């Protein structure tokens, strides 16, 4: 039997799903990051351990039948590596807005309203590295013999999280997919890096940009040592990956323009399948290429992480049952854990709004759920105002899909049917990508 493995690296952990040619699930695993995967110099080793442990959890009899593997990662989580693929400084996470410091240079380089014009874009992070001087950000793990003298790195590679994790499996350094590379500035119309990007980053501290292929493209067979360690077939193929939210979209099976997927995980991401491409950096709107259609959307920093900051999972379940979803909460919040959002308001300095806080925990939770639903609805409204195909139905992926009260609140706010697809896990979407092994 031919099996296909998808591995999802989200904000709080890694998950894997193994499916067969009919899409039937044969195995699922989960690995939770220590400290919820927050910024830390040893983060690459945390990811590597999560990758190996996720695979280790899969029974050997299943691993021996895996024909292809694909990995998704968080969008715009980026890193710099040397020629051996060893990270030379700590990665910058998807929601890190330090790129705001290079806003002027970013605007001078990129076209008006381009997707990269965001403090959290991959390109903003690359420019921040260049402007700040790479030496200042090299981690102490690369100092020599405790002297504080840093090694000379003659050549650097700029990679996304999913790129580097796939490299650990196939050994070919510097390959990405055009979903991950979109916020770096890769042009999905011409399928190349535009001249404004190449010229804008040119200089002494310019790393090699990754070669970009279509998501799902076979890149190379699994490394011999990896195959031997886990028992993968010698010809097991590692395919180019995608981002976590697009993997969740693929898992849903949505293929009709006007249908959308909202990923309610630690953050909130919306993706609307559209005949029309829409890009507007003022609001954090961007479009991914998906066959002959466009996946239009954006990602907000609001979401489940805010809820878990105030409530345990048991409290969320208990208090939710006490909410009347047909009644609108008048509490008007903008739930964020720290200042800054990406969509539908693209402002790295946007302050959280979590007051007034009622003494009744049920009322407070109702206000949070209602406010996140309003942000989601405003996001879809914006997409349509700028020309995306009219919204007809929303499918929900992520942990938030399990909360029926929240779904009812969102249905009232969105004014379209809200459903949970059969498959919601991003890892399932990546497994489909591995199965197809063709351009998505």
């Amino acid at each position: 039997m031919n099996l296909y493995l998808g591995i999802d690296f989200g904000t709080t952990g890694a998950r894997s799903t193994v499916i067969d040619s009919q899409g039937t699930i044969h195995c699922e695993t989960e690995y939770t990051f220590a400290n919820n995967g927050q910024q830390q110099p040893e983060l690459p080793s945390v990811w590597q351990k999560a990758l190996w442990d996720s695979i280790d959890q899969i029974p050997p009899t299943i691993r021996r039948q895996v024909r292809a593997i694909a990995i998704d990662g968080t969008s715009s989580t980026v890193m710099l590596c040397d020629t051996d693929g060893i990270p030379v400084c700590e990665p910058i996470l998807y929601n890190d807005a330090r790129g705001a410091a290079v806003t002027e240079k970013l605007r001078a380089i990129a076209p008006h309203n381009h997707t990269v014009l965001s403090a959290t874009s991959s390109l903003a992070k690359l420019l921040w590295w260049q402007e700040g001087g790479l030496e200042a950000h090299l981690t102490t793990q690369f100092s020599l013999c405790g002297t504080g003298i840093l090694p000379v790195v003659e050549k650097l590679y700029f990679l996304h999280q999913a790129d580097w994790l796939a490299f650990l499996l196939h050994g070919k350094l510097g390959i990405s997919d055009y979903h991950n590379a979109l916020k770096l500035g890769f042009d999905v119309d011409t399928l190349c890096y535009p001249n404004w990007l190449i010229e804008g980053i040119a200089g002494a501290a310019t790393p090699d940009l990754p070669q970009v292929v279509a998501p799902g493209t076979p890149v190379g067979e699994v490394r011999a040592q990896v195959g031997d360690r886990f028992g993968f077939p010698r010809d097991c193929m590692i395919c180019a990956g995608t981002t976590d939210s697009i993997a969740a979209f693929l898992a849903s099976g949505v293929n009709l323009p006007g249908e959308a997927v909202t990923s309610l995980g630690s953050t909130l991401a919306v993706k609307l399948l559209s005949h029309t491409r829409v890009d507007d950096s003022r609001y954090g709107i961007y479009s991914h290429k998906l066959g002959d259609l466009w996946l239009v959307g954006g990602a907000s920093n609001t979401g489940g992480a805010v809820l878990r900051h105030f409530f345990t999972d048991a409290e969320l379940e208990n208090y939710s049952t006490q909410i009347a979803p047909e009644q609108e909460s008048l509490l008007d919040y903008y739930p964020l854990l720290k200042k800054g959002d990406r969509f539908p308001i693209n402002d790295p300095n946007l302050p959280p709004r979590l007051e007034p806080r009622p003494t009744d925990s049920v009322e407070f939770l109702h206000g949070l759920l209602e406010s996140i639903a309003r942000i989601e609805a405003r996001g879809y409204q914006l997409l349509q105002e700028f020309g995306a195909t009219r919204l007809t139905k929303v499918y929900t992926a992520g942990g938030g899909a399990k909360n029926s009260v929240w779904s009812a609140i969102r249905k009232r706010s969105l004014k379209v049917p809200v459903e949970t697809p059969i498959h919601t896990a991003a890892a399932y979407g990546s497994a489909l990508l591995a199965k197809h092994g063709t351009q998505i």
Side-chain angles (χ1 to χ4, degrees):
M1 180 185 296
N2 289 337
L3 299 178
Y4 306 91
L5 169 59
I7 306 176
D8 161 52
F9 274 75
T11 55
T12 60
R15 299 159 188 84
S16 80
T17 300
V18 179
I19 64 172
D20 61 23
S21 298
Q22 284 69 50
T24 302
I25 296 175
H26 287 251
C27 179
E28 293 179 297
T29 73
E30 186 168 352
Y31 179 95
T32 301
F33 297 144
N35 302 319
N36 286 326
Q38 294 304 304
Q39 195 77 27
Q40 48 188 306
E42 66 274 15
L43 203 49
S45 63
V46 172
W47 294 342
Q48 183 169 335
K49 185 178 188 304
L51 177 62
W52 300 150
D53 281 15
S54 296
I55 296 173
D56 256 332
Q57 292 180 54
I58 302 169
T61 53
I62 291 179
R63 295 201 298 259
R64 286 195 290 269
Q65 300 176 76
V66 172
R67 312 305 303 182
I69 304 172
I71 300 177
D72 70 77
T74 47
S75 177
S76 290
T77 293
V78 297
M79 56 203 303
L80 291 172
C81 300
D82 65 16
T83 53
D84 293 321
I86 298 174
V88 299
C89 54
E90 69 178 29
I92 305 180
L93 297 181
Y94 66 97
N95 60 349
D96 191 308
R98 70 184 73 184
V102 294
T103 297
E104 289 187 14
K105 182 169 184 179
L106 193 59
R107 288 176 177 166
I109 291 173
H112 180 64
N113 276 348
H114 196 279
T115 303
V116 300
L117 293 172
S118 166
T120 59
S121 74
S122 299
L123 181 56
K125 291 162 184 169
L126 172 56
L127 291 177
W128 182 86
W129 265 318
Q130 288 185 309
E131 291 289 292
L134 296 177
E135 294 81 3
H137 312 296
L138 293 176
T139 56
T140 56
Q141 63 183 323
F142 294 99
S143 58
L144 297 179
C145 304
T147 64
I149 301 173
L150 294 166
V152 175
V153 182
E154 295 182 353
K155 185 176 183 179
L156 293 173
Y157 287 87
F158 181 88
L159 299 175
H160 303 89
Q161 180 188 35
D163 309 340
W164 184 73
L165 290 164
F167 156 75
L168 295 179
L169 298 181
H170 57 57
K172 296 185 177 181
L173 191 61
I175 298 177
S176 187
D177 64 90
Y178 59 58
H179 289 162
N180 272 294
L182 182 75
K183 295 180 185 177
L184 178 56
F186 185 79
D187 190 329
V188 293
D189 281 327
T190 62
L191 297 180
C192 65
Y193 290 110
N195 288 335
W196 62 260
L197 172 60
I198 301 300
E199 295 170 359
I201 65 172
T206 303
D208 280 13
L209 301 183
Q211 174 190 346
V212 180
V213 299
T217 299
V219 174
E221 295 179 352
V222 66
R223 290 168 124 168
Q225 60 267 43
V226 176
D228 291 343
R229 173 177 175 178
F230 296 109
F232 291 127
R234 287 288 185 184
D235 60 351
C236 177
M237 186 62 64
I238 312 303
C239 300
T242 183
T243 66
D244 56 346
S245 60
I246 292 184
F249 185 95
L250 296 175
S252 72
V254 169
N255 56 18
L256 296 177
E259 295 186 341
V261 172
T262 295
S263 295
L264 284 177
S266 298
T267 57
L268 177 144
V270 305
K271 296 278 188 294
L272 170 63
L273 197 57
S274 173
H275 289 292
T276 308
R277 178 179 183 177
V278 180
D279 295 285
D280 198 312
S281 66
R282 294 174 300 172
Y283 303 96
I285 300 172
Y286 54 91
S287 295
H288 282 285
K289 184 177 177 63
L290 201 69
D292 296 328
L293 298 171
W294 296 95
L295 204 48
V296 184
S300 171
N301 291 336
T302 194
V306 180
L307 300 179
R308 282 198 170 91
H309 178 75
F310 293 105
F311 304 102
T312 65
D313 287 349
E315 288 172 335
L316 286 171
E317 184 176 353
N318 178 32
Y319 296 153
S320 292
T321 61
Q322 301 177 54
I323 293 173
E326 68 278 2
Q327 296 179 3
E328 182 178 2
S329 170
L330 298 180
L331 293 169
D332 185 19
Y333 299 143
Y334 204 103
L336 299 170
L337 289 180
K338 60 182 181 180
K339 70 176 184 178
D341 201 11
R342 301 169 284 164
F343 168 85
I345 300 174
N346 187 9
D347 180 0
N349 297 309
L350 183 71
R353 190 167 68 246
L354 293 163
E355 299 289 343
R357 179 172 176 176
T359 55
D360 184 349
S361 295
V362 175
E363 185 181 352
F364 181 48
L365 176 59
H366 190 182
L368 290 174
L369 296 179
E370 190 88 46
S371 297
I372 296 173
R374 291 187 191 117
I375 293 171
E376 178 190 6
R378 177 54 183 155
Y380 281 119
Q381 180 184 356
L382 269 177
L383 302 184
Q384 295 166 96
E385 287 177 2
F386 285 102
T389 300
R390 183 178 64 85
L391 181 69
T392 59
K393 184 183 290 187
V394 173
Y395 292 89
T396 311
K402 302 173 184 176
N403 190 318
S404 60
V405 172
W406 198 5
S407 294
I409 292 172
R410 294 171 50 238
K411 181 178 180 180
R412 171 168 49 77
S413 185
L414 291 165
K415 298 180 174 58
V416 296
V418 174
E419 299 181 8
T420 301
I422 295 175
H423 299 292
T424 63
Y428 186 90
S430 285
L432 289 176
L433 204 57
K435 182 173 79 75
H436 296 321
T438 56
Q439 184 170 335
I440 296 296

